[in-house]
Amino acid sequence: HRVDRRQRQMCIRDRIRRIKRSDASEMQAAVLASVGHIRPWLDWCTPSYRLSDAVNWTQEAASKWQEGSDYRFVIEEPESGLMLGSVAIRTVCRTNRVGDLGYWLRKRALGQGYCTKAVKLAIEYGFEQLGFQRIEMRILPDNAASNAVAFRLGASFDGLQEDKIIHKGEAKMANCYSFAAPVSCRNIYQKTDIALVDTSVQSVSGF
């Protein structure tokens, strides 16, 4: 299935693209540079995050995308192509096409709007090309930055709910948000659309 010109231009301008195996070393560097502000929310982000951890995460991305269980994107700095973080949508209910969105951002990119823009693009792609009917976000109440992203994007607040997120090995309460697919995007899912993001484009906290 060909990538149309509009899709390619969106990727180049806004710097969100599918993750690739060759992103592993950049992934490790971005994580290690951001432990201080990410570690309180994401258990896997530690000073001992190894290159092998990043390799495993990037290598399994292609198979998970193909099977429709997890769609992983890289956020890049427009000018330099530097990896700034990642956003992903994990399928939590195939029957009703419900996804769970998560994200993280490198320390040097904080406060510049990259995260909000990347999450917006991922949500739009999830509805328009992957056929999701609902995309949810589960965020720890104390994670002010991630809660702010949800509010800026106009997410519906579904309440503070119990046992919605695993943190430090325990089920915790989380602020739950959701986005519903626009009417124009409902019930148009086609499996061939899964491959529409061009993996060769070199141009753009949760899980």
Side-chain angles (χ1 to χ4, degrees):
H1 199 101
R2 294 183 61 187
V3 178
D4 64 40
R5 182 174 298 178
R6 182 175 178 275
Q7 290 287 326
R8 190 183 299 272
Q9 288 177 340
M10 182 193 78
C11 291
I12 293 174
R13 183 180 68 251
D14 294 314
R15 306 295 189 177
I16 182 171
R17 62 166 174 79
R18 282 177 61 175
I19 195 132
K20 301 181 297 184
R21 292 185 179 184
S22 58
D23 289 321
S25 60
E26 274 289 317
M27 172 80 176
Q28 183 199 25
V31 169
L32 293 179
S34 310
V35 170
H37 76 278
I38 296 177
R39 189 178 185 184
W41 319 115
L42 300 178
D43 294 342
W44 55 263
C45 184
T46 70
S48 60
Y49 188 82
R50 299 167 297 180
L51 178 59
S52 60
D53 296 322
V55 168
N56 290 338
W57 196 81
T58 56
Q59 285 185 341
E60 70 178 13
S63 60
K64 287 187 176 294
W65 185 292
Q66 187 61 38
E67 69 188 24
S69 63
D70 197 352
Y71 303 96
R72 301 174 182 178
F73 301 88
V74 164
I75 307 167
E76 288 186 338
E77 187 173 59
E79 295 78 14
S80 67
L82 180 72
M83 181 185 288
L84 299 179
S86 178
V87 57
I89 305 175
R90 178 171 55 89
T91 300
V92 294
C93 180
R94 290 179 182 272
T95 302
N96 296 321
R97 298 299 299 160
V98 179
D100 180 38
L101 184 145
Y103 47 88
W104 61 272
L105 198 66
R106 193 177 191 140
K107 183 177 181 179
R108 65 174 285 177
L110 296 177
Q112 300 176 56
Y114 286 115
C115 193
T116 301
K117 180 184 291 185
V119 170
K120 181 176 184 293
L121 286 171
I123 290 171
E124 290 175 349
Y125 190 85
F127 288 144
E128 296 173 5
Q129 305 300 336
L130 300 176
F132 283 105
Q133 302 299 293
R134 176 183 171 92
I135 295 177
E136 301 175 342
M137 297 167 63
R138 308 171 190 183
I139 304 172
L140 290 168
D142 292 339
N143 189 343
S146 286
N147 280 282
V149 169
F151 279 113
R152 279 197 293 271
L153 291 175
S156 296
F157 180 57
D158 301 323
L160 179 63
Q161 301 179 25
E162 295 184 355
D163 302 334
K164 285 297 184 178
I165 195 168
I166 302 298
H167 183 57
K168 300 187 184 303
E170 298 181 3
K172 299 288 184 67
M173 298 183 71
N175 284 334
C176 296
Y177 304 89
S178 63
F179 300 86
V183 174
S184 61
C185 295
R186 293 177 186 169
N187 302 317
I188 61 170
Y189 177 65
Q190 297 179 359
K191 191 171 181 61
T192 52
D193 285 338
I194 285 180
L196 279 179
V197 171
D198 186 357
T199 60
S200 67
V201 174
Q202 295 298 318
S203 328
V204 125
S205 269
F207 298 144

